[in-house]
Every structure is written in C-alpha cells, then in structure tokens.
C-alpha cells in the first residue's frame, strides 16, 4: 500500500477526533485490498457519517470539505486530494452503510490506525450498488477464505438483498465455469 495512504488515514483519524465526521470506513477497491488481491483504482472511497447540525442542512459535507481544505487538501473533479490521492467521500445512506460504519474494523498500516469496512459489508454494498466493476471484485471476494459467508448471508437477508444476490450469484457461477 502506498505510503501516501498513511497520510490519508491520519487525516481521517484527525477529522474523527475533531468531530468533523462522526464515523468513517474505507471502502471500495482500497478497502478490499485489506482482504483480497489489490485492484486498480482511481482513488480512495471513504464512507462517512456527519453531524448535519454542524453545517448547512442543504450541504452537510461543507464542514468536511472546509476542514480538509484548511489542512491542505486540493480539489480534483469531485474528489478532495489528500496525500496525492483523490479521496471520494460517500455519505452514509442509512441501513447497510450505517451498519458497515458501526462495524468497521480498526486496522493498522505502517503504524497508522485506519477504519476499514468488513469484507462482508464491502461485498453486501457491492451487491446493493450493483455496478459492473463491483462484480469483478466479487469474484475475488467470493473465492476468498477471508469472507465469512454466514455473516455475509445475514447481511444480505437483513438488508433485503436476497433477490439481487441470487441474480449475482448465478452470474458469478456462470462466469466461473
């Protein structure tokens, strides 16, 4: 993992300590690299929960963006650039993402603490969002001994994703033949 990621992780932890974000969890391809083989990515996806009372109700991320900009982050398209990498802040949309943030794992990278979504949550979020690029990652996740299939199945059932997962599983099995 690039050393510049430790800068991102340190900044996320500082924002948490400052109360700018309530919870966070690294997700997407970077989150998955903590469990499965690294995948190519354009940036770092970070799911966050914010206190909407701290900022504008029409722009609850304003305080987050201002915080990181005041600490030297720049802009690139819709991303903040921290440690030389585009960081895409994704709002907690309730349900599954809230649960993922609540159960994020505290890991360590080169001495820096970082909260990472569990592999089971990453997989369930991929099923929920149903993007084509997530299906590729699901091949790796589904074959990984790191995946707790029972826990994943519970998440799928609890968040109403059983039908969608059945279609994905059929595709994974068909593509795996």
């Amino acid at each position: 993992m690039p050393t510049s990621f430790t800068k991102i992780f340190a900044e996320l932890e500082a924002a948490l300590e400052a109360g700018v974000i309530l919870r966070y969890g690294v997700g997407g391809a970077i989150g998955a690299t903590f469990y499965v083989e690294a995948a190519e990515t354009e940036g770092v996806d970070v799911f966050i929960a914010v206190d909407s009372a701290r900022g504008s109700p029409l722009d609850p991320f304003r305080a987050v963006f201002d915080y990181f900009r005041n600490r030297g982050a720049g802009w690139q398209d819709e991303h903040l650039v921290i440690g030389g990498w585009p960081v895409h802040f994704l709002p907690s949309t309730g349900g599954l993402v809230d649960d993922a943030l609540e159960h994020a794992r505290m890991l360590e990278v080169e001495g820096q603490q970082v909260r990472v979504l569990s592999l089971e949550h990453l997989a369930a979020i991929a099923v929920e969002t149903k993007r084509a690029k997530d299906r590729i990652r699901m091949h790796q996740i589904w074959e990984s001994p790191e995946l707790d299939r029972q826990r994943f199945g519970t998440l799928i059932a609890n968040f109403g994703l059983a039908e969608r997962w059945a279609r994905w599983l059929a595709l994974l099995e068909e593509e795996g033949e």
Side-chain angles (χ1 to χ4, degrees):
M1 188 158 295
T3 57
S4 57
F5 283 4
T6 57
K7 167 74 171 157
I8 296 169
F9 303 153
E11 289 295 319
L12 290 169
E13 284 295 311
L16 188 68
E17 289 175 26
V20 174
I21 54 178
L22 301 176
R23 290 186 312 270
Y24 81 88
V26 175
I30 300 303
T33 63
F34 284 88
Y35 308 102
V36 296
E37 189 176 320
E40 191 173 318
T41 186
E42 296 173 3
V44 180
D45 291 339
V46 180
F47 291 88
I48 62 172
V50 297
D51 181 359
S52 59
R54 278 195 79 173
S56 164
L58 298 176
D59 189 4
F61 278 14
R62 171 73 53 211
V64 174
F65 295 144
D66 289 347
Y67 175 83
F68 287 108
R69 292 290 308 265
N70 289 335
R71 293 176 64 93
W75 282 108
Q76 178 183 350
D77 302 322
E78 72 274 8
H79 302 93
L80 281 173
V81 177
I82 302 171
W85 279 85
V87 179
H88 190 201
F89 288 98
L90 303 162
S92 175
T93 53
L96 178 57
V97 174
D98 281 347
D99 191 69
L101 290 174
E102 185 177 326
H103 295 98
R105 296 177 59 197
M106 180 64 85
L107 302 174
E108 189 174 304
V109 176
E110 297 180 20
Q112 176 59 55
Q113 298 290 313
V114 60
R115 288 163 172 78
V116 178
L117 301 185
S118 74
L119 186 59
E120 296 75 23
H121 280 97
L122 288 168
I125 290 169
V127 171
E128 184 178 60
T129 58
K130 63 182 179 183
R131 300 176 307 177
K133 68 181 183 178
D134 291 328
R135 203 167 74 228
I136 295 167
R137 189 174 313 122
M138 276 301 293
H139 277 283
Q140 291 178 297
I141 291 172
W142 192 242
E143 296 300 319
S144 172
E146 297 288 322
L147 180 69
D148 180 336
R149 289 184 179 205
Q150 183 175 357
R151 184 171 180 229
F152 172 70
T154 299
L155 290 172
I156 291 298
N158 288 349
F159 293 101
L161 299 169
E163 187 177 312
R164 190 174 290 171
W165 171 240
R167 288 192 304 268
W168 269 57
L169 185 56
L171 286 171
L172 287 173
E173 290 173 348
E174 182 180 303
E175 291 169 355
E177 292 177 352

